[in-house]
């Protein structure tokens, strides 16, 4: 059973997941795909796995090249925002792999696209992380032979009607100016990796549900 690990959003949380996940994939036949249309900015070098030489380059492309140079695994990239059915296209281009969605985005418009794609597969995994300054949560859901275990985020509360970053203007992206928090980002990334591990090692317990992360606490429900 091989997974196609698709990390959507390689900023604060996703960049940290992408940085460390390859270490768990060494010696396996799993694939890794990074999806993000963002460009590295100077401010990203403070909280994300990028350096000054990466500025003005696509995050997904930069990170995929680093992973491929450091580890003997297959890491690909898609350096555009998903706005419609791009995820399904990318998965169908790589037949034989179970899609493993790792959502690390900062808008609900993209979350809706990921959820819709995930629900269309009879066998798939979806882990979604989100955070504020000190608070965060990770939703873990998976499907096996069309039976779904664990809730997706929209089944717990209504997602916002915000704008997909791929459809936003440059001015809107700059105005958003959302601050990311290094320590909380790393805690979310660590939690996501912890949830990924049982799938890689074929453990019986997958711990579907919600992990609630706060300052000096972490609870799985």
């Amino acid at each position: 059973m091989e997974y196609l690990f698709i990390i959507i959003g390689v900023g604060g949380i996703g960049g940290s997941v992408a940085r460390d996940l390859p270490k768990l994939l060494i010696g396996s036949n799993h694939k890794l795909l990074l999806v993000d249309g963002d460009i590295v900015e100077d401010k990203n070098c403070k909280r994300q796995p990028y350096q000054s030489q990466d500025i003005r380059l696509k995050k997904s492309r930069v990170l995929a090249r680093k992973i491929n140079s450091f580890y003997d695994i297959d890491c690909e990239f898609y350096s555009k925002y998903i706005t419609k059915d791009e995820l399904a296209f990318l998965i169908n281009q790589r037949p034989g792999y179970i899609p493993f969605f790792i959502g690390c985005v900062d808008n609900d418009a993209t979350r809706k696209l990921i959820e819709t794609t995930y629900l269309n597969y009879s066998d798939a995994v979806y882990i979604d992380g989100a955070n504020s300054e000190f608070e965060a949560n990770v939703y873990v859901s998976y499907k096996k032979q069309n039976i779904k275990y664990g809730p997706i985020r929209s089944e717990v509360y209504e997602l916002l009607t915000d704008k997909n970053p791929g459809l936003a203007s440059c001015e809107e992206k700059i105005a958003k100016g959302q601050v990311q928090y290094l320590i909380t980002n790393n805690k979310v990334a660590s939690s996501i990796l912890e949830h990924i591990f049982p799938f890689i090692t074929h453990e019986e317990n997958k711990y579907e549900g919600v992990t609630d992360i706060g300052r000096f606490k972490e609870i799985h429900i």
Side-chain angles (χ1 to χ4, degrees), residues 3-165:
Y3 291 108
L4 172 62
F5 290 95
I6 311 167
I7 303 178
I8 305 101
V10 287
I13 298 174
S16 296
V17 174
R19 178 194 63 200
D20 294 331
L21 178 56
K23 300 170 187 176
L24 300 181
L25 305 183
I26 295 173
S28 73
N29 293 318
H30 304 298
K31 283 183 178 289
L32 178 58
L33 174 62
L34 311 183
V35 178
D36 198 323
D38 272 357
I39 294 174
V40 178
E41 301 176 62
D42 179 65
K43 64 180 181 181
N44 301 142
C45 299
K46 299 177 182 178
R47 300 183 182 90
Q48 301 177 18
Y50 304 103
Q51 291 75 43
S52 58
Q53 66 266 24
D54 303 327
I55 294 174
R56 293 186 293 278
L57 300 176
K58 292 283 189 175
K59 289 182 179 180
S60 55
R61 182 171 184 167
V62 165
L63 205 48
R65 286 184 168 181
K66 290 180 180 181
I67 291 169
N68 285 325
S69 65
F70 293 151
Y71 305 102
D72 185 21
I73 68 166
D74 187 5
C75 181
E76 301 175 273
F77 66 91
Y78 182 77
S79 57
K80 297 179 182 179
Y81 298 111
I82 57 169
T83 58
K84 293 182 180 179
D85 55 0
E86 293 91 343
L87 283 178
F89 173 79
L90 292 168
I91 293 166
N92 294 338
Q93 289 291 100
R94 298 157 176 82
Y97 289 85
I98 296 175
F100 197 122
F101 304 93
I102 304 171
C104 303
V105 299
D106 60 358
N107 67 92
D108 283 348
T110 305
R111 281 195 176 91
K112 291 176 183 178
L113 290 174
I114 301 171
E115 287 190 353
T116 299
T117 307
Y118 162 66
L119 292 174
N120 282 335
Y121 288 89
S122 59
D123 292 274
V125 185
Y126 179 29
I127 299 180
D128 180 51
N131 71 288
S132 57
E133 183 176 5
F134 297 116
E135 306 296 323
N137 52 53
V138 175
Y139 280 73
V140 182
S141 177
Y142 68 95
K143 294 180 68 180
K144 189 173 182 179
Q145 298 180 345
N146 244 351
I147 299 175
K148 186 169 70 66
Y149 302 87
I152 55 178
R153 193 176 290 271
S154 65
E155 293 173 338
V156 177
Y157 61 84
E158 185 176 358
L159 298 182
L160 299 174
T161 305
D162 52 14
K163 184 169 287 189
N164 187 295

